[in-house]
Amino acid sequence: MQSSTTYGDAGAAPISHPHSGARNINARDSHISPGEIAVGVVIGRVSEYFDFFVYAIASVLVFPAVFFPWADRLEATLYSFIVFSFAFIARPLGTVVFMWIQTRFSREIKLTIALFIMGTSTVVISFLPTYGQIGAASIVVLSLMRIGQGVAQGGSWDGLPSLLALNAPQNKRGWYAMLGQLSAPIGFLIAAGLFAYLLTNLSSDDFLVWGWRYPFFCAFAINVVALFARLRLVSTTEYSRLLDAHELDPAPVGELVRTQGSNIVIGALAALASYALFHLVTVFPLSWIQLYDTRPVAEFLHVQMWGAVLALVALLASGIIADKVGRRTTLGTLAALIALFSAFVPTLLDGGVAGQNTFILVGFTLLGLSYGQAAGAVTANFQQRFRYTGAALTSDLAWLVGAAFAPLVALGLSAHFGLGYVSLYLLSGAVGSLAALSLNRALEIRD
């Protein structure tokens, strides 16, 4: 429901007033097509994923040396991955807090505050003094900014992915569900390209002193552009009307968990294989190459960029496949293929350049096929008034369980017990997905 909260003096117009404030921007009073909604989803999420991968790559290439110089390379990277996980832990908290802000004020205010926190956290990291300059305080501030990024990610949920899923033509739901996921490989391509360029053109000292900060400046600038682009969409009269028509407004979290908790858990686990694979082809292999191989990191980033291109193609294919065979069948088949792929992790990563390249290219392809249908896998299983909050918390839980600790666990296991344990970790994600899908027979007929 639209808020009727007033601002300023007693005569100020309420937010729900048809001629008030941002809601009148670009008002057309015309039909909004799913394609237009998809544009809003992609714009919003590209900035989030770019932020995400800039921090992720820096966690491997920069932070161990800059913030944990007193530890050996392996320990420093593991410490860096612990801080990396803080955003995923904080994300559900951000969702709950910002749902309250939206209920009390408005969707526009919530989104503005969330993206302001995201931009501030990112730019503070770009200016952050090193451990050598201010000691342990640098780690504390880095951790706080990482938590800020997680809180902001939870707060940046605007409901457009759910709106897209609910407005897509019945025979095109897999295709439109995939469109928002295109932002992941696009964000990775831009972030990896920036770091590869800097590594190639700067000395090691220059890169570690000031070069690594440049991608964070870029992330801040992209966040500002994305903020205005998203506000331009969600603030208009027609988008507000469409969001309200589908009851895409916050619901009480306690009641949601009590009455719809099983849908949250099943939704998160249904895509577990995809989320586990997400970091095992992006962040973890980069750390493994950095620590245990003589291969130039910039060269490996270029291979990963080619993998991201394959993931883009696979994402497009996943939309077509899901519309033909159903989302549940698509996710189940890909979970089984990821389980099979997990058996080859040690052979490929220990197989020299050819094996490592094969691991990246095949892994990214599987990721694209599975991740394309991973978002909002059980959105329609929620009762209508719980759909907005339920979709957000399902996504938060999927990232927390499937991806938050994947680089930390995979690197720790491979370093101390061998790459075979990374296979078991990925296999456990695939088994979790298959188990959840077996419990959710309604998945392929509604979403």
Side-chain angles (χ1 to χ4, degrees), residues 64-131:
V66 170
F67 296 109
F68 304 98
W70 40 268
D72 64 41
R73 292 175 63 195
L74 172 60
E75 288 183 349
T77 305
L78 292 174
Y79 286 135
S80 180
F81 283 161
I82 290 174
V83 178
F84 175 75
S85 70
F86 289 171
F88 301 95
I89 298 171
R91 186 168 172 165
L93 175 62
T95 295
V96 173
V97 170
F98 279 91
M99 289 292 177
W100 178 86
I101 291 174
Q102 180 175 334
T103 301
R104 179 67 179 84
F105 300 102
S106 71
R107 195 185 311 269
E108 297 93 330
I109 290 176
K110 179 191 86 163
L111 189 58
T112 301
I113 295 173
L115 293 183
F116 176 79
I117 293 174
M118 175 67 80
T120 300
S121 299
T122 301
V123 81
V124 167
I125 292 173
S126 71
F127 284 110
L128 189 60
T130 66
Y131 183 90

Side-chain angles (χ1 to χ4, degrees), residues 186-210:
I186 293 172
F188 182 82
L189 274 169
I190 301 172
L194 266 176
F195 275 100
Y197 176 83
L198 292 169
L199 285 168
T200 302
N201 291 279
L202 297 177
S203 67
S204 296
D205 287 342
D206 284 343
F207 175 73
L208 289 176
V209 171
W210 60 267

Side-chain angles (χ1 to χ4, degrees), residues 138-226:
S138 65
I139 301 174
V140 173
V141 177
L142 177 67
S143 300
L144 290 174
M145 294 306 102
R146 185 56 178 164
I147 291 170
Q149 287 184 324
V151 169
Q153 284 173 340
S156 65
W157 178 254
D158 53 21
L160 290 181
S162 293
L163 186 63
L164 177 61
L166 296 169
N167 281 272
Q170 188 169 0
N171 62 339
K172 292 279 189 179
R173 288 179 177 175
W175 177 262
Y176 282 100
M178 167 276 302
L179 291 176
Q181 306 296 75
L182 288 172
S183 307
I186 293 172
F188 182 82
L189 274 169
I190 301 172
L194 266 176
F195 275 100
Y197 176 83
L198 292 169
L199 285 168
T200 302
N201 291 279
L202 297 177
S203 67
S204 296
D205 287 342
D206 284 343
F207 175 73
L208 289 176
V209 171
W210 60 267
W212 67 270
R213 301 176 188 272
Y214 179 72
F216 285 89
F217 290 129
C218 293
F220 173 74
I222 290 174
N223 265 309
V224 172
V225 174

Side-chain angles (χ1 to χ4, degrees), residues 322-345:
D323 285 329
K324 288 186 177 297
V325 304
R327 174 174 291 187
R328 182 173 178 274
T329 300
T330 301
L331 285 173
T333 301
L334 265 300
L337 289 174
I338 290 172
L340 179 63
F341 176 69
S342 70
F344 295 93
V345 170

Side-chain angles (χ1 to χ4, degrees), residues 18-32:
H19 302 293
S20 66
R23 288 280 168 90
N24 199 40
I25 299 173
N26 296 328
R28 303 177 305 214
D29 294 317
S30 59
H31 173 70
I32 301 175

Side-chain angles (χ1 to χ4, degrees), residues 204-443:
S204 296
D205 287 342
D206 284 343
F207 175 73
L208 289 176
V209 171
W210 60 267
W212 67 270
R213 301 176 188 272
Y214 179 72
F216 285 89
F217 290 129
C218 293
F220 173 74
I222 290 174
N223 265 309
V224 172
V225 174
L227 168 61
F228 286 103
R230 293 170 78 175
L231 286 176
R232 185 181 176 91
L233 287 170
V234 303
S235 298
T236 58
T237 302
E238 60 271 24
Y239 268 92
S240 299
R241 186 179 300 127
L242 197 55
L243 287 161
D244 291 338
H246 286 291
E247 296 187 26
L248 291 175
D249 289 299
V253 174
E255 186 180 356
L256 167 69
V257 173
R258 188 168 59 254
T259 62
Q260 306 281 293
S262 61
N263 282 332
I264 296 175
V265 174
I266 291 174
L269 294 181
L272 188 60
S274 179
Y275 282 93
L277 183 61
F278 195 96
H279 281 154
L280 292 187
V281 296
T282 55
V283 184
F284 162 68
L286 191 61
S287 67
W288 197 83
I289 292 295
Q290 171 92 332
L291 290 168
Y292 299 114
D293 205 287
T294 58
R295 186 175 184 179
V297 173
E299 174 193 305
F300 190 72
L301 280 171
H302 285 123
V303 175
Q304 288 188 303
M305 290 170 68
W306 280 112
V309 172
L310 290 179
L312 272 171
V313 175
L315 274 158
L316 294 170
S318 76
I320 299 172
I321 295 169
D323 285 329
K324 288 186 177 297
V325 304
R327 174 174 291 187
R328 182 173 178 274
T329 300
T330 301
L331 285 173
T333 301
L334 265 300
L337 289 174
I338 290 172
L340 179 63
F341 176 69
S342 70
F344 295 93
V345 170
T347 302
L348 293 175
L349 282 179
D350 264 341
V353 171
Q356 293 161 4
N357 290 353
T358 301
F359 172 81
I360 292 300
L361 298 178
V362 174
F364 265 98
T365 301
L366 290 174
L367 177 63
L369 289 169
S370 60
Y371 192 65
Q373 300 303 311
V378 291
T379 298
N381 286 9
F382 289 105
Q383 295 175 19
Q384 189 167 355
R385 73 189 189 92
F386 292 119
R387 186 172 289 141
Y388 178 77
T389 307
L393 287 177
T394 298
S395 177
D396 293 344
L397 184 61
W399 281 111
L400 178 60
V401 175
F405 305 102
L408 176 67
V409 173
L411 181 60
L413 289 175
S414 62
H416 293 101
F417 304 105
L419 287 167
Y421 284 85
V422 179
S423 295
L424 293 177
Y425 180 80
L426 185 56
L427 177 63
S428 68
V431 171
S433 287
L434 291 170
L437 290 169
S438 70
L439 296 173
N440 190 44
R441 299 290 177 180
L443 183 58

